[in-house]
Amino acid sequence: MTDNTRTLWVRNPLDCPDEAARGGVVIRGTRIIEKVAAGMRPEAPVDEVFDASRHVLLPGLVNTHHHFYQTLTRAYSPALNKALFPWLTTLYDVWARLDEEQLSLASELAMVELLLSGCTTVADHHYVFSGKLTGAIDRQVEAAERLGVRASLTRGSMSVGKEQGGLPPQSVVQDEATILKDSERLIERYHQRGEGAMVTVALAPCSPFSVSRELMQDSAQLARDKDVRLHTHLAETEDETAYCEKLFGMRPLDYLEDCGWLSDRTWLAHGIYFNDDEIKRLGQAGTGIAHCPSSNMVLGSGMCRTLELERAGAPVGLAVDGSASNDHSNLAEEMRQALLLGRLRYGADKLSHETVLRWATQGSAACLGRDDIGGLEPGQQADLALFTLEEARFSGAENPLAALLLCGAHRADRVMVAGRWKVKDGAPCDVDLDALLRRHDAAARRLRA
């Protein structure tokens, strides 16, 4: 659909998490204009109909944390079987060699992979800037616009290298003035505001062990001045807690609050090691948590206290995290991981598939500060993910919605972003996937050489 006056009825899905949309949704332009009850027809005649009777209809999935560039270092032998800190120090020297062509290919592949999994809004946290890679976020914007995906891109940064007691090599560390100047440039050039925004920019100093207190504080002030969001890694491992206590004399969340970050403008990646009081404070502040189950398991980091966080009032969303710690960019598979890991922590009767679906849509949208995506309400953006249950893994499934998670859905059949189909018949539209894979693989080999 390209004509803002024409209407499309996505009709009679096999199943849908919204009871009021069991008869489908009607779309005009970039928005949903009507939910249709089961057995009913739209209030007004429509111009087109898509028969969704083979499909489970979901709001487009929303990813809240990723590192696109890491698609180039998946299953990298020297970094296997390591916890977070040694894993990072092994890979930093490889990532320091990234150039803009490699990043463009990595970003495009990651976004295509996310799209194919039913993800319509992608988020990335890019913090590796070297002499060969100064325009990283610009390249990511170009890739997102080319693919037509909705993107929340964060200007990451590292300002404390090994020489100052941090983890990253000096070759990927920038000074605070350079970081803040480029952050302001990116906001002014690319950040879109209001409903339907396709590209948004947030500020994202990497982590307490790679940036200075001054950068954390100045980033918080710049975010307030420019009215943009804040993002960082926090409370991912016990090593991080020990680092903060030794260097700052306080726990990670206390440090975050001391730097002016504890607010509803902020969402945090991982958020594993929070105590009861900290969870209460996060909820009172409305600070979001990007839950990264696969990455947390791969690195052996721990289990996020998702249910306690959500009950306290903290938005909980889902994220694939980096493709060197996952090692894929598939948000549909991440839903299953979140369900299984959550049940291991809380018990089978305490976490439902509906809750995880909500995290991947409404919860993730809330983490990004958006209420125009993540649902099927009239007025929200026409971002949809449609899955069929025609693989062997689904045969015999009685509950189609539960089957997506329990049977392991991994590839959407149709995906729509802002009223336009971006995936049809399980393939990305207007993308030569074979050619992209060849170029991406060559870039990965060159980076590791």
Side-chain angles (χ1 to χ4, degrees):
M1 290 178 63
T2 56
D3 187 341
N4 286 341
T5 66
R6 293 182 64 80
T7 53
L8 169 67
W9 178 16
V10 179
R11 183 180 66 188
N12 297 335
L14 179 65
D15 206 348
C16 175
D18 189 332
E19 188 69 31
R22 291 296 176 90
V25 293
V26 180
I27 294 158
R28 179 187 293 126
T30 65
R31 297 173 185 262
I32 296 168
I33 62 169
E34 184 183 351
K35 293 193 293 188
V36 182
M40 303 299 288
R41 297 186 61 84
E43 294 177 355
V46 297
D47 298 302
E48 301 174 51
V49 174
F50 176 79
D51 180 8
S53 59
R54 297 170 44 241
H55 297 84
V56 179
L57 169 65
L58 303 180
L61 307 182
V62 178
N63 187 46
T64 55
H65 181 70
H66 201 347
H67 306 293
F68 292 163
Y69 72 90
Q70 291 183 13
T71 61
L72 297 165
T73 51
R74 301 193 227 232
Y76 180 58
S77 293
L80 296 179
N81 311 317
K82 287 181 168 63
L84 178 65
F85 277 20
W87 175 84
L88 280 170
T89 54
T90 300
L91 282 162
Y92 274 142
D93 289 333
V94 180
W95 296 336
R97 299 196 294 267
L98 276 166
D99 61 32
E100 292 193 0
E101 180 189 12
Q102 291 165 337
L103 180 72
S104 293
L105 289 166
S107 298
E108 184 173 359
L109 182 75
M111 285 188 254
V112 168
E113 193 177 357
L114 284 163
L115 263 178
L116 290 173
S117 73
C119 181
T120 54
T121 298
V122 303
D124 192 60
H125 184 187
H126 187 83
Y127 54 82
V128 176
F129 292 85
S130 65
K132 295 185 294 184
L133 190 62
T134 57
I137 310 302
D138 303 83
R139 303 291 81 76
Q140 292 185 326
V141 172
E142 291 170 1
E145 291 179 340
R146 186 165 59 250
L147 293 169
V149 301
R150 211 176 294 280
S152 175
L153 302 174
T154 73
R155 206 300 183 179
S157 53
M158 296 191 289
S159 64
V160 176
K162 288 182 179 179
E163 294 177 6
Q164 296 84 34
L167 286 183
Q170 296 302 126
S171 58
V172 293
V173 167
Q174 295 179 302
D175 65 83
E176 287 81 357
T178 297
I179 292 165
L180 292 167
K181 182 178 179 181
D182 191 52
S183 296
E184 190 165 1
R185 176 188 72 85
L186 291 166
I187 294 168
E188 296 298 331
R189 182 168 183 178
Y190 298 118
H191 183 66
Q192 299 173 8
R193 302 182 185 275
E195 294 183 1
M198 292 298 293
V199 174
T200 58
V201 176
L203 305 183
C206 182
S207 59
F209 49 81
S210 59
V211 300
S212 66
R213 183 190 293 266
E214 291 74 22
L215 182 60
M216 290 290 287
Q217 293 171 334
D218 290 346
S219 294
Q221 184 60 55
L222 182 59
R224 289 191 291 270
D225 292 345
K226 297 297 183 180
D227 189 25
V228 297
R229 296 185 72 74
L230 289 164
H231 183 54
T232 192
H233 299 93
L234 201 80
E236 184 177 357
T237 66
E238 292 176 313
D239 286 346
E240 179 191 321
T241 301
Y243 180 95
C244 287
E245 289 176 336
K246 180 179 179 181
L247 193 64
F248 308 122
M250 60 183 77
R251 287 173 58 82
L253 189 66
D254 297 322
Y255 174 68
L256 193 81
E257 184 172 21
D258 187 62
C259 291
W261 277 60
L262 191 58
S263 76
D264 60 2
R265 187 184 300 280
T266 300
W267 86 103
L268 306 171
H270 302 285
I272 296 170
Y273 291 97
F274 293 129
N275 60 36
D276 291 344
D277 176 68
E278 290 167 340
I279 288 174
K280 181 180 179 181
R281 289 159 57 196
L282 286 160
Q284 290 172 339
T287 300
I289 304 296
H291 177 36
C292 309
S294 291
S295 174
N296 294 345
M297 287 187 280
V298 168
L299 295 175
S301 300
M303 300 186 195
C304 179
R305 298 175 65 186
T306 51
L307 295 185
E308 293 95 333
L309 284 158
E310 193 170 48
R311 282 196 295 265
V316 173
L318 281 190
V320 298
D321 198 14
S323 287
S325 65
N326 187 311
D327 288 37
H328 61 59
S329 310
N330 191 305
L331 198 54
E333 292 188 7
E334 207 64 37
M335 290 194 296
R336 186 171 194 266
Q337 297 284 57
L339 178 69
L340 299 182
L341 187 62
R343 288 189 171 184
L344 185 63
R345 181 179 186 93
Y346 298 109
D349 59 338
K350 297 296 191 298
L351 183 62
S352 69
H353 64 277
E354 291 98 339
T355 295
V356 175
L357 281 165
R358 178 167 46 75
W359 289 345
T361 52
Q362 296 173 12
S364 287
C367 284
L368 301 184
R370 302 191 64 158
D371 59 11
D372 60 333
I373 59 175
L376 299 175
E377 294 297 322
Q380 288 189 301
Q381 291 295 298
D383 294 1
L384 308 176
L386 291 87
F387 293 82
T388 61
L389 304 182
E390 295 168 358
E391 298 176 67
R393 69 180 67 206
F394 298 113
S395 184
E398 183 269 333
N399 185 316
L401 203 59
L404 292 182
L405 279 71
L406 294 172
C407 302
H410 63 104
R411 190 158 187 157
D413 183 66
R414 286 259 177 165
V415 178
M416 175 182 285
V417 182
R420 296 173 180 264
W421 292 116
K422 293 299 173 183
V423 174
K424 293 182 179 180
D425 301 322
C429 300
D430 305 317
V431 175
D432 186 337
L433 186 55
D434 289 339
L436 175 59
L437 290 172
R438 288 194 298 270
R439 294 174 64 207
H440 180 271
D441 184 65
R445 292 174 184 275
R446 181 163 58 87
L447 180 66
R448 298 192 303 263

